[in-house]
Amino acid sequence: MPTGLYIGGQWRAAAKTMPVLDPSTGQELCAVADAGPGDGLAALTAAADAQAAWARTPARERSEILMRAHRLLIEDADRLGLIATLEMGKPLAEARGEITYAAEFFRWFAEEAVRLDGGYMPAPGGGSRFLVTRQPVGPSLLITPWNFPMAMGTRKIGPALAAGCTCVVKPAEQTPLCTLALADILERAGVPAGVVNVVTTSDPGALMTPMILDERSRKLSFTGSTAVGKKLLEQCAQTVMRTSMELGGNAPFIVFDDADLDAAVDGAMAAKMRNIGQACTAANRIYVQRTVLDDFAERLTKRMAALPLGRGTEPGVVVGPLIDTDAVAKVTDLVADARTRGAKVLLGGETLDGPGNFYPATVLVDVPDDADMCRTEIFGPVAAITGFDTEDEVVDRANDTPYGLVSYVYTESLRRGLRVCEALDTGMVGLNQGVVSNPAAPFGGVKESGLGREGGLTGIDEFLETKYIGVQL
Ligand code: NAP
């Protein structure tokens, strides 16, 4: 298991190390390199030096390397899933699912690498011709969060490599092991030295700021919180650097009274409990039309009560630990705040004794709109249910947030479903489905949830510049 920095195709130590903790025990799993600013600039130099040759590498060759990486990830899914569970806490079955999902980004972008298009057209005024071609944007900085430690990496590395960009990847401090394992896999798949570099650190600002301000960096692709994303956008403004931002969410999950309630409960379980509630796509505010509110809440509570809690490596566990003690404290405070504002607890709601960062599956009903948990990401296994009466009312309440990543709508009426999907201010909507993540679809948000899209037909565009060549005949 690599634990060093991966720079220019070599594994190397840093001056310091930092611990990686198991969130289900609080104990140290191992130590990894803790990079400083000099290491970051060395990684950027390696990426910049490798850029021209990688851009010239035929697209078919880049594609085949990504295909091999896809296969290696799939073949190694058990081991990689275990690494994800150990450092992040999610149950093993979910962790293996994440590895498969992560691998799909490589396959999708391997297929996209060979399909870049261009154009040739006469100028409207006659005489000259327009040639339009697309070129890699250049060395890219990729910053990923801890909640999907493998998939958030491949979702950026896949399109970067397919487009012909080299990169420096900085994973989250809490989950560096998946990205280090991925670097090893990419090397075995044939990625040349310097094309992918990985730096791990406990001081991301000190490491990344000099790299972001360095004019050799041409792109920043960030997934994480809106607060950090805003800071990074300010830094990127210094060099007018291209950016992609996948930021926080506050997803409304809307159940109309004509919905198939069994399907709606299934969808709510998936949208709420994926990743122990720690997903940017998590159902944060569950709005249920009042005529079916009690029925829905009772069914959801029964399902949530049946979820086994424990260490993610134990068979059958669904509710693993949260990432750290701060996450438990945040969820505890949000539940206490909702209760003082009148929410009723149908399940859970008590903090558990350690060891490990566990919080029980919890269901609250009658959560008022001014509760803190309706305004911020809960990021835990807490379902916050509230009633509504009319379509206009629920659309207004759902849109009353600075975030706009995803929303979910359950109704059997096609007209109402499409009307509400169009009216919701989010980049994605699940209509009668509780999971929207798919490498072949354009993932991303509007408002303070982000800029740009990852995956889908447009995902590769984030790493390409369009060049127009005027030709005088
Ligand atoms: P975070 O605190 O913003 O951290 C994200 C990444 O940014 C980590 O690698 C972090 O490093 C790094 N970082 C922090 N401060 C930095 C700085 N000053 N300069 C450069 N890098 C810096 O977010 P998180 O808590 O890890 O992740 C949860 C958030 O991500 C949630 O808001 C969630 O909604 C969002 N998310 C969004 C998507 C999406 O696709 N829209 C997907 C997944 C998650 P350290 O780990 O060392 O702090």
Side-chain angles (χ1 to χ4, degrees), residues 18 101 142-148 152 155-156 170-175 200-209 212 220 222-229 231-232 235 245-250 275 278-282 323-324 330 377 379 403 405 428 443-445 449-450 454:
M18 61 182 192
Y101 170 56
L142 315 178
I143 302 179
T144 57
W146 50 264
N147 60 347
F148 290 94
M152 297 301 97
R155 197 164 82 169
K156 296 184 190 306
K170 194 214 78 67
E173 176 183 355
Q174 284 151 322
T175 56
T200 50
T201 187
S202 64
D203 192 350
L207 177 78
M208 293 309 300
T209 302
I212 292 170
L220 173 70
F222 171 78
T223 297
S225 62
T226 296
V228 172
K231 273 195 222 160
L232 297 179
Q235 292 184 352
M245 294 276 149
E246 295 288 346
L247 308 177
N250 182 357
N275 228 31
Q278 302 169 110
C280 53
T281 51
I323 188 69
D324 55 23
K330 178 183 172 188
E377 289 179 298
F379 250 55
Y403 298 99
L405 187 62
M428 303 175 285
F443 189 104
S449 287
E454 290 190 326

Side-chain angles (χ1 to χ4, degrees), residues 417-450:
L418 291 179
R419 206 164 51 224
V420 174
C421 285
E422 288 191 16
L424 289 167
D425 289 339
T426 55
M428 303 175 285
V429 188
L431 178 55
N432 294 322
Q433 70 176 49
V435 176
V436 294
S437 308
N438 189 314
F443 189 104
V446 300
K447 302 201 284 186
E448 294 191 17
S449 287

Side-chain angles (χ1 to χ4, degrees), residues 57-69:
T57 302
R60 177 62 71 199
E61 220 175 286
R62 298 200 302 262
S63 167
E64 281 169 358
I65 290 172
L66 283 172
M67 254 335 168
R68 281 200 292 277

Side-chain angles (χ1 to χ4, degrees), residues 27 50 78 129 159 236 445 447:
Q27 286 174 359
D78 285 350
R129 298 289 181 267
C236 290
K447 302 201 284 186

